[in-house]
Amino acid sequence: NAGVTQTPKFQVLKTGQSMTLQCAQDMNHEYMSWYRQDPGMGLRLIHYSVGAGITDQGEVPNGYNVSRSTTEDFPLRLLSAAPSQTSVYFCASQDYSYEQYFGPGTRLTVT
Amino acid sequence: AQSVTQLGSHVSVSEGALVLLRCNYSSSVPPYLFWYVQYPNQGLQLLLKYTSAATLVKGINGFEAEFKKSETSFHLTKPSAHMSDAAEYFCAVRAGGNKLVFGAGTILRVKS
């Protein structure tokens, strides 16, 4: 099992550009989520999904969109990148005991 | 609302000394509690979890944590620190629905 995979590992964007961060899991988990990690702030929930076709906003959803067309994939879209979105982004899937499995992260810099 | 407080953003110990990382939580639902570790430039990895079974939970790499309901605490300990334990540690609690709420993290430094 590959677990949770994320691409790309690194990305540099200019202000106003858009991009999609990819996330996939092969554990057949219904629940998936996206977090951003900033120094001293822990992980903050951006969006989450409880199953294919169902998504909802987390703590910091502004500037991000998600969709969940399949159980496996949960992409995160940045609509118009801003310097405030410079961060490390983690995707995670969750099993029935609420344990979350994290991907390796995407380090995004917006200039 | 559920929340997690980790006391001390940085903790420094000598190699071989006791490691104690503090976590207090608030939860309006039966708590599921987790400790994750993050090594530099990596994702988060589960250390241990409490899911309403034994209150003393043993995890990987010699770490353990004790759930104390009366103190709403879930502190992480290890009897003897090793250089390889240097990392950032996150405590998390189940929130409403399926969500987890994470603490701000504690960076552990191990001195030789």
Side-chain angles (χ1 to χ4, degrees):
Chain A
N1 284 354
V4 178
T5 58
Q6 289 183 240
T7 56
K9 284 188 165 45
F10 301 93
Q11 184 71 48
V12 179
L13 290 178
K14 294 188 188 305
T15 297
Q17 288 184 318
S18 63
M19 77 160 295
T20 299
L21 280 62
Q22 301 292 344
C23 174
Q25 53 98 3
D26 62 1
M27 296 172 282
N28 203 33
H29 291 160
E30 293 293 334
Y31 184 89
M32 296 184 72
S33 51
W34 275 101
Y35 296 91
R36 61 177 289 171
Q37 183 181 24
D38 302 290
M41 303 189 74
L43 276 76
R44 293 184 291 169
L45 183 64
I46 304 172
H47 285 285
Y48 65 98
S49 169
V50 298
I54 307 170
T55 64
D56 205 347
Q57 297 181 352
E59 182 185 353
V60 289
N62 292 343
Y64 308 95
N65 272 358
V66 291
S67 60
R68 184 95 180 271
S69 57
T70 67
T71 300
E72 293 77 20
D73 299 300
F74 190 42
L76 177 73
R77 295 184 189 82
L78 278 71
L79 308 173
S80 176
S84 60
Q85 294 179 302
T86 294
S87 187
V88 182
Y89 291 85
F90 289 102
C91 177
S93 70
Q94 181 173 289
D95 67 18
Y96 67 93
S97 72
Y98 305 99
E99 178 180 342
Q100 295 201 351
Y101 300 76
F102 286 84
T106 295
R107 189 173 296 271
L108 176 68
T109 301
V110 182
T111 61
Chain B
Q2 286 72 29
S3 67
V4 175
T5 302
Q6 291 184 238
L7 296 173
S9 58
H10 291 77
V11 170
S12 183
V13 301
S14 297
E15 194 173 18
L18 171 72
V19 175
L20 171 60
L21 304 182
R22 299 178 188 273
C23 173
N24 288 90
Y25 70 93
S26 67
S27 178
S28 58
V29 297
Y32 285 62
L33 293 154
F34 304 83
W35 276 101
Y36 285 86
V37 61
Q38 184 181 32
Y39 299 103
N41 300 314
Q42 294 187 25
L44 278 72
Q45 173 184 348
L46 183 72
L47 266 182
L48 50 79
K49 62 183 178 184
Y50 168 78
T51 57
S52 77
T55 57
L56 183 62
V57 181
K58 294 190 184 299
I60 62 172
N61 301 337
F63 283 93
E64 62 182 36
E66 186 172 8
F67 171 66
K68 292 188 176 180
K69 185 176 180 179
S70 61
E71 298 177 9
T72 60
S73 69
F74 190 56
H75 301 331
L76 181 71
T77 61
K78 181 174 180 178
S80 177
H82 191 272
M83 298 296 290
S84 61
D85 295 326
E88 189 163 15
Y89 294 80
F90 293 93
C91 181
V93 65
R94 174 201 169 195
N98 289 0
K99 290 181 275 190
L100 291 188
V101 172
F102 287 82
T106 298
I107 295 173
L108 175 66
R109 179 185 169 215
V110 182
K111 300 176 290 185
S112 59

